[in-house]
Amino acid sequence: MKKLPMEGEEEFEKVCQTFNSMQRRIRDEQERRSRDEKARIDMVTGISHDLRTPLTSVQGYIKGILDHVADTPKKQEAYLTTALEATEEMNLLLQKLFDFSRMESGQIPFHKVPADLAEFTAAYIARKEAALEGIHFILKKEKGIMPDILMDVEQFGRIYDNLLENSRKYAGAEELCVEIRIYTEGSDLLMSWKDNGAGVPQEKLGHIFDKFYQCDEARSKKGSGVGLYVVRYIAEHHGGDVKAENDEGLKLIFRFPVYRQIQGTLQ
């Protein structure tokens, strides 16, 4: 795009300035769309590639059962267990695509009810500790009754699932330890999620919630670049926000407004 010269009458100069400003906005928008489109294609390509490994695993173990390679009940159970784990991995990848598609079209429904985040977190931890090995959770919360927040339980579970997947994938710790702290600050309820990993390079820390952003550009580790973007999206739709910092590992701090009901009026 060629800039118009801005010499001449004052009115003409203003028109030229407006036109040049419009050109810059159009160019910037075109560049942004081009970057997003490339990143979207890379994401779909990457997830498609990542799906091949668990799909091949499922096919291989089922074939092993059909071909009687797993010729004892114990072996068959082991094969089926591994195949089930692979299907769960595929489901997570596909769920990310589905969530992202619904977010882009504004079709994610939120059904929020007053809920105790500390109780919800304790129940989540209990489920995960029973289902997963090699992960240790520490839950810290203020003494006494914690205030409720308006929460969509399903969507909030997705926040925790994405945070856990992110820690498991990138922390790099031999035994993953996740510390969750829930506390009040003024009229807000805060929740922090901290793992014992290596953290994130400081220059990349401010970008980890960006759409399609991947710290690991070489894709040496599987990733779609939308997990933490989904986390921020859901948090913001709960009236909250989230920030990241390094504190002997990656630490994500969420802030939510507490729920109050006074004389039948929601505040």
Side-chain angles (χ1 to χ4, degrees):
M1 294 183 182
K2 186 177 180 181
K3 287 187 176 181
L4 291 179
M6 293 189 293
E7 299 176 356
E9 298 295 333
E10 182 178 353
E11 291 80 3
F12 183 67
E13 289 181 11
K14 290 181 178 178
V15 170
C16 291
Q17 289 173 346
T18 301
F19 181 80
N20 290 333
S21 177
M22 181 180 67
Q23 279 190 317
R24 285 194 299 272
R25 288 197 299 271
I26 292 173
R27 184 186 64 244
D28 291 345
E29 178 64 16
Q30 288 175 336
E31 290 175 353
R32 185 192 66 78
R33 289 184 178 182
S34 178
R35 288 194 303 271
D36 277 1
E37 183 59 26
K38 181 181 183 303
R40 185 179 288 107
I41 292 172
D42 288 345
M43 180 193 74
V44 173
T45 302
I47 288 181
S48 299
H49 177 270
D50 292 345
L51 280 170
R52 291 178 184 173
T53 300
L55 179 59
T56 301
S57 176
V58 170
Q59 291 174 328
Y61 281 102
I62 290 177
K63 189 173 188 299
I65 293 174
L66 293 175
D67 291 346
H68 305 292
V69 175
D71 53 2
T72 67
K74 187 175 181 179
K75 282 186 178 180
Q76 290 171 359
E77 182 179 356
Y79 274 42
L80 290 173
T81 298
T82 304
L84 178 61
E85 290 172 352
T87 63
E88 290 171 349
E89 183 180 347
M90 288 191 291
N91 185 57
L92 283 174
L93 290 167
L94 292 171
Q95 185 65 50
K96 282 185 179 180
L97 281 176
F98 183 58
D99 288 344
F100 178 76
S101 175
R102 291 200 299 169
M103 280 192 303
E104 291 291 276
S105 60
Q107 293 180 350
I108 287 188
F110 286 87
H111 306 290
K112 292 177 279 190
V113 296
D116 186 325
L117 179 57
E119 288 186 2
F120 175 85
T121 304
Y124 180 87
I125 289 174
R127 291 196 305 273
K128 293 304 176 180
E129 286 186 330
L132 302 174
E133 295 181 357
I135 300 177
H136 177 59
F137 288 94
I138 299 173
L139 175 59
K140 296 182 178 180
K141 70 182 188 72
E142 290 181 358
K143 293 182 179 179
I145 299 174
M146 301 291 289
D148 289 346
I149 63 172
L150 283 174
M151 178 196 304
D152 182 309
V153 174
E154 179 183 353
Q155 299 300 342
F156 218 96
R158 191 153 290 138
I159 287 181
Y160 278 171
D161 284 344
N162 285 5
L163 293 178
L164 180 57
E165 182 191 11
N166 189 74
S167 291
R168 294 181 71 190
K169 187 178 297 180
Y170 299 111
E174 185 173 337
E175 182 172 353
L176 179 64
C177 179
V178 174
E179 178 185 292
I180 304 175
R181 184 178 171 223
I182 300 174
Y183 56 102
T184 57
E185 189 175 277
S187 60
D188 295 328
L189 185 72
L190 276 69
M191 184 276 288
S192 66
W193 175 290
K194 185 172 83 73
D195 62 42
N196 60 332
V200 172
Q202 198 64 34
E203 69 275 10
K204 299 181 178 183
L205 198 59
H207 298 287
I208 63 173
F209 298 106
D210 293 350
K211 180 167 54 177
F212 305 128
Y213 187 76
Q214 295 187 49
C215 290
D216 180 26
E217 292 92 346
R219 285 190 60 85
S220 59
K221 297 180 180 179
K222 297 177 183 178
S224 62
V226 299
L228 292 183
Y229 172 72
V230 170
V231 164
R232 184 179 64 178
Y233 179 93
I234 296 174
E236 290 178 347
H237 279 70
H238 280 77
D241 59 49
V242 57
K243 65 178 182 179
E245 62 184 43
N246 285 313
D247 179 13
E248 298 180 350
L250 179 62
K251 184 177 183 179
L252 305 175
I253 304 170
F254 295 78
R255 180 182 296 269
F256 299 100
V258 302
Y259 168 83
R260 288 188 177 90
Q261 186 171 17
I262 302 175
Q263 294 181 349
T265 301
L266 297 182
Q267 295 190 347

